[in-house]
Amino acid sequence: AWKTNCKACPNGMTEEETIELTVDLRKGMAPGDTIKFEQVADERVGHIAGDLIFTVRQAQHGSFARDGDNLMTTMPITLLDSLVGFEYSIDHLDGHQVPVTKTDVSYCSEIIRIAGQGMPKKNGKGFGDLFVTLSINFPKSFSESQKAQLKEVLK
């Protein structure tokens, strides 16, 4: 039994203790996933220590958004690119280059799916997909000469 003036317990029934824990974040973990350390939380005499639970939160990224195992991004292209095709590459989250190619006409907000370039799957078997939404940057204006040339080519 604990006694109020016990010399063996100068700070009361319990004392603070520092422990080191290693949080292991695995590839494919998603927001809301938890990491549990059993019986390491506060203790009380006569009770089992509680669990310490970490909940994964995802930081916002400037270019990519996550939807499950898939990634979404937007890529600006020129009007000319949208009419004749293009070949670009995107810097992926881990730094590798992902080619994005289109050989024919693109429309506004068209989505290109690139298989296997999303987030790692939690089960360790493969990756989600990358969805690239095309954003066409239209010119502000054309000269009369350019308008005439466009009319001739596009009629």
Side-chain angles (χ1 to χ4, degrees):
W2 177 75
K3 297 177 186 174
T4 308
N5 296 323
C6 177
K7 291 184 181 172
C9 305
N11 296 323
M13 292 172 68
T14 60
E15 293 184 15
E16 287 188 19
E17 176 186 16
T18 301
I19 60 170
E20 288 189 24
L21 300 171
T22 300
V23 177
D24 184 21
L25 295 173
R26 296 175 314 280
K27 285 183 178 182
M29 291 187 86
D33 286 353
T34 59
I35 301 165
K36 181 177 178 180
F37 292 91
E38 295 183 358
Q39 299 181 7
V40 298
D42 288 345
E43 295 182 38
R44 222 172 59 183
V45 174
H47 292 82
I48 296 172
D51 299 336
L52 176 62
I53 301 172
F54 289 90
T55 301
V56 175
R57 289 182 52 199
Q58 181 173 293
Q60 295 296 318
H61 190 273
S63 303
F64 293 95
R66 182 177 182 174
D67 181 15
D69 294 330
N70 297 322
L71 282 176
M72 270 61 87
T73 192
T74 300
M75 185 174 73
I77 61 172
T78 67
L79 178 58
L80 180 61
D81 291 338
S82 74
L83 296 173
V84 300
F86 57 86
E87 186 172 328
Y88 290 114
S89 62
I90 293 176
D91 292 329
H92 204 286
L93 292 170
D94 65 2
H96 80 276
Q97 297 292 302
V98 178
V100 182
T101 305
K102 187 96 191 283
T103 58
D104 54 5
V105 176
S106 303
Y107 56 88
C108 218
S109 299
E110 181 175 353
I111 298 173
I112 297 174
R113 177 178 165 260
I114 304 172
Q117 289 295 326
M119 296 297 289
K121 294 187 176 180
K122 200 184 308 189
N123 64 10
K125 296 180 181 176
F127 292 78
D129 297 333
L130 172 62
F131 292 89
V132 181
T133 302
L134 301 179
S135 172
I136 300 171
N137 291 330
F138 287 89
K140 300 266 187 241
S141 63
F142 291 107
S143 69
E144 290 305 317
S145 169
Q146 289 171 322
K147 287 179 188 178
Q149 290 174 341
L150 286 169
K151 286 178 184 177
E152 185 63 31
V153 170
L154 297 176
K155 64 177 173 180

